[in-house]
Amino acid sequence: MKLTFSQTALPQEKAHDALVLFVPSGEKQFADAQKRIIADFPETKAVFDSGDFKAKRDSLAMTYLGGTTKSKSSRLLLVGVGESDKITLESIRRAAAAAAKAASGKKLKSLAIAVPTGLSLDAEGFGEAATEGFCLAAYKLTRYFSDKERTSNTLESLTFCSENKKTLADVKKGAEYAETVCNGTLLARTLATTPNNDMYPEKLADAAQKAGKEAGFKVTVLDKKKIEALKMYGLLAVNQGSKRPPVFIVMEYNGGSKNDKPIVLVGKGVTFDTGGVSIKPAAGMGEMKMDMHGAATVISTMKAAANLGLKVNLVGIVPSTENMVSGSAVVPGDVIVYNNNVSVEVDNTDAEGRLILADALIYAQKYKPQACIDLATLTGACVVALGMVTTGMMGTDAPLKSRLKLAGDYTHEYVCELPIYEEYEELIKGDITDIKNAGGRYAGAITAALFLKRFVGEMPWVHLDIAGTAMLSSDAPYAPKGASGVGVRLLCDMLRKWKG
Ligand code: BES
Ligand code: MN
Ligand code: ZN
């Protein structure tokens, strides 16, 4: 999406497909806005007279303009934002998303946006939130359609207009930040939506290499031989039923000073999860092509952070494999002795995510990171607990948890902490091993986190269970059903505020 910024109240230079006006409700504000809009665009009088448009949150009205002098745009799109003193980043995101969906439904390509005045929101926040709504709402993966014309995303350019130079500069700052981050979110959606036959481990590694080239960070791909040499026995066990080899991807971005210890991001990269011998039911199994969403988020966050030039040192780690059924697959009862000497009984081959993350967490320790965050579509139990709205957060480091909580509230990629009291450890105690990889029906998200905790050593660590928030089974306001791209906006917001 091309962003431009024009120092005029309303666009003059160019004919846009539509001019978008954000309209507040609330008696006085609505009456004022109505007067102003009718004065500028007499064509809208009938809309207001009809009483159909009251500027309620996310409500829309489209008017066609007759080429008046005030704008050369052929359409005017009025978007309600609700009462002006209650407007938040989220109400702007949603209003912009509603406008974007209406515009892309009509195949419009270029939109002009008049930056509203008198909102309870600063201009930078407006630019950021509006851009997020416009970028994220109308996403669709189109590569597999034969009829590209009918199905491609159409929105190509956004022009923000304000008479005030300072306002416009602030809008630009917010909008450009958001565009870079949202391109990351969209990349994560694309990687996660792409099915296993086009996004198996080696393809995921190619995607990481490509992101590294484009944004300027280092990518190292360890192949099966190296994985064996490094004794990554969890990754090898899960991979053992698969024809396609595993990969272990390491990404490094150094935006901080040389002495800054890195922040390590770990992402679960199971490109397809059949459940293995503990096989999943057929219905809905196709969703498990998204079981590498944690990996997609980590790769995309690395790219966004590098493109933004964030002043932090980052390491991204992705263990990746399929979880398949075959004559050579790992079976329940098998024992893995990890490189940190922890022994694990594979009680359920469908609890594979934790088995491969364990190797990645052991590996992460060699960086002596100031923080380690893993993201994983790890448990159905987390979906039961928190649904598709909130990511489950568990970890050992209170300051890191509060950074993530703040970023979650800011971006509306919410996180909520679940407890990992040691009493729960009983549930994953092994009979012939230190621990087993499944703890029964109770507290499933928590026992998964307690499993991971055995592999984090002294690192300040947080685990984000994105099983519910990564795979949407119905549309959200600015994320269509399917892979959500969750985590990129969350992590970028946390990272840009890391020192501040
Ligand atoms: N990838 C799944 C978790 C999942 C389930 C993500 C539903 C999204 C939606 C994970 O590998 C898994 O199968 N977990 C098991 C663990 C159990 C066997 C202990 C689960 O949650 O059922
Ligand atoms: Mn599984
Ligand atoms: Zn899985």
Side-chain angles (χ1 to χ4, degrees), residues 98-324:
K101 281 186 258 187
S104 80
K106 291 200 158 32
K107 306 269 169 271
L108 307 188
K109 290 194 164 77
S110 75
L111 299 182
I113 296 123
V115 177
T117 50
L119 297 184
S120 56
L121 191 73
D122 58 84
E124 186 179 339
F126 174 81
E128 186 180 317
T131 305
E132 288 174 320
F134 282 111
C135 283
L136 297 176
Y139 172 82
K140 197 169 186 70
L141 182 69
T142 57
R143 67 180 278 200
Y144 296 111
F145 288 119
S146 54
D147 183 355
K148 294 273 195 287
E149 186 56 43
R150 199 165 51 83
T151 52
S152 61
N153 309 317
T154 57
L155 219 50
E156 287 170 5
S157 79
L158 287 184
T159 303
F160 286 91
C161 304
S162 169
E163 258 176 334
N164 185 307
K165 196 172 169 189
K166 165 87 168 77
T167 300
L168 197 65
D170 289 349
V171 167
K172 183 167 192 268
K173 200 170 162 216
E176 287 179 344
Y177 168 80
E179 192 205 13
T180 305
V181 175
C182 289
N183 282 338
T185 305
L186 297 178
L187 172 63
R189 287 181 188 174
T190 295
L191 295 176
T193 308
T194 304
N196 186 56
N197 61 334
D198 281 325
M199 194 51 69
Y200 49 85
E202 288 173 327
K203 287 288 185 100
L204 188 63
D206 291 345
Q209 303 261 25
K210 181 162 176 273
K213 265 206 197 95
E214 286 168 358
F217 59 87
K218 187 178 159 198
V219 180
T220 312
V221 178
L222 309 184
D223 62 8
K224 189 173 173 184
K225 273 215 175 96
K226 297 239 178 65
I227 291 166
E228 283 166 347
L230 287 165
K231 303 184 167 43
M232 295 184 173
Y233 295 128
L235 182 54
L236 290 165
V238 175
N239 181 253
Q240 155 193 322
S242 184
K243 277 208 167 133
R244 295 187 179 111
V247 297
F248 191 87
I249 308 167
V250 182
M251 295 162 278
E252 290 163 297
Y253 162 70
N254 294 313
S257 61
K258 230 182 157 184
N259 303 324
D260 290 348
K261 288 190 205 155
I263 297 157
V264 176
L265 306 175
V266 177
K268 171 179 172 182
V270 174
T271 61
F272 195 81
D273 182 11
T274 67
V277 170
S278 316
I279 197 165
K280 287 182 182 294
M285 197 201 277
E287 283 190 7
M288 288 300 139
K289 70 177 180 179
M290 294 181 276
D291 209 17
M292 34 57 77
H293 199 307
T297 297
V298 170
I299 292 166
S300 305
T301 300
M302 294 294 298
K303 182 173 180 184
N307 279 334
L308 289 166
L310 295 185
K311 301 210 173 328
V312 287
N313 294 333
L314 285 180
V315 176
I317 298 179
V318 168
S320 180
T321 176
E322 303 164 322
N323 185 23
M324 302 298 257

